[in-house]
Amino acid sequence: MHMSKKQTISSVLRQAVKDSGKTVYAVASEAGLSYDNLMRFVAGDRELLQRESDLLADYLGCRLIPPKVKQADEPRVAR
């Protein structure tokens, strides 16, 4: 999957649908989504509802990975 520096969840899902090797109809049907809504989403004409995004991400195996939290330096004690 081609990734740009700044990605949105929507752009990742759109690309994952395109990279799935399946038709939009097959993805929509197998993921439990409306074909019309998914087709318009992939074309960039609409956004998905959160429930739709969750279903699509689950079907495509996409996962959000939280950024690693940097450990703060040990607190310094004033002397």
Side-chain angles (χ1 to χ4, degrees):
M1 179 180 337
H2 179 268
M3 306 257 187
S4 62
K5 287 185 180 182
K6 183 173 181 173
Q7 298 176 298
T8 64
I9 293 169
S10 292
S11 67
V12 171
L13 289 174
R14 279 186 187 96
Q15 192 62 50
V17 170
K18 294 173 185 176
D19 292 347
S20 72
K22 296 185 177 190
T23 65
V24 174
Y25 181 83
V27 171
S29 178
E30 294 170 14
L33 299 168
S34 158
Y35 166 72
D36 290 335
N37 287 349
L38 186 59
M39 184 59 126
R40 291 188 334 220
F41 169 73
V42 171
D45 295 335
R46 81 176 294 264
E47 294 301 320
L48 294 177
L49 299 174
Q50 182 177 346
R51 178 189 62 78
E52 293 170 318
S53 294
D54 290 346
L55 286 170
L56 184 58
D58 186 53
Y59 172 75
L60 294 169
C62 296
R63 301 286 180 263
L64 286 177
I65 301 171
K68 293 183 179 182
V69 178
K70 293 182 182 179
Q71 296 295 326
D73 291 335
E74 290 289 321
R76 297 183 186 189
V77 178
R79 297 182 191 231

